[in-house]
Amino acid sequence: LDQSRAFVDAVFAHVRQHLPAGPAAARAPVDRAVWEQQQAADQATRAQLRAQAAGCVTAIMERFAVTNPNRIKPGIAEATRAVLRRKPRRVFLREAADPDLAALVHLCRQDGVAMEVDAAATGPFRAITLIERVS
């Protein structure tokens, strides 16, 4: 007979005695049904974000007649790396004044890379770089 649940409950009861006093919610045992609902909501949120991400990449592909999705680099790190190492065609920014994008904006200005501020185009990302097609 599996005793893992009883073991975890016994250990947690001991640990709870040694936790510092705090809000009652922090000391209350986790309700499994509530936890499962939260997990389902988190999964739905992640699925929605994945769909938004795929949608904005697809929209850029269609707008610029891109057939290779590897030419689109979403996210601040990937967009910056693409500007540093590749020949970018355009950089999409959610918001030009975002302090986390300052280095990327600086590099684009320094190298004369076209920037487009468009929150709809970036979707859940704060920056996306479209790499020029190399023949």
Side-chain angles (χ1 to χ4, degrees), residues 23-82:
R27 293 190 314 267
V30 175
D31 182 311
R32 185 165 184 81
V34 171
W35 182 83
E36 288 174 351
Q37 285 177 331
Q38 184 61 48
Q39 292 299 311
D42 290 348
Q43 279 185 327
T45 300
R46 284 191 297 272
Q48 182 181 16
L49 286 172
R50 277 192 299 274
Q52 286 177 341
C56 72
V57 168
T58 300
I60 291 172
M61 288 179 68
E62 290 171 357
R63 179 175 164 195
F64 292 91
V66 174
T67 56
N68 183 351
N70 291 327
R71 289 183 44 214
I72 299 173
K73 301 301 179 185
I76 297 170
E78 285 297 313
T80 303
R81 189 174 301 112

Side-chain angles (χ1 to χ4, degrees), residues 87-100:
K87 183 179 178 189
R89 178 172 176 183
R90 182 174 307 240
V91 174
F92 300 89
L93 307 170
R94 180 187 301 164
E95 184 181 326
D98 183 338
D100 291 337

Side-chain angles (χ1 to χ4, degrees), residues 76 80 83-84 96 98-110:
I76 297 170
T80 303
V83 169
L84 287 169
D98 183 338
D100 291 337
L101 297 177
L104 177 58
V105 169
H106 171 75
L107 291 170
C108 289
R109 287 181 179 149
Q110 180 180 330

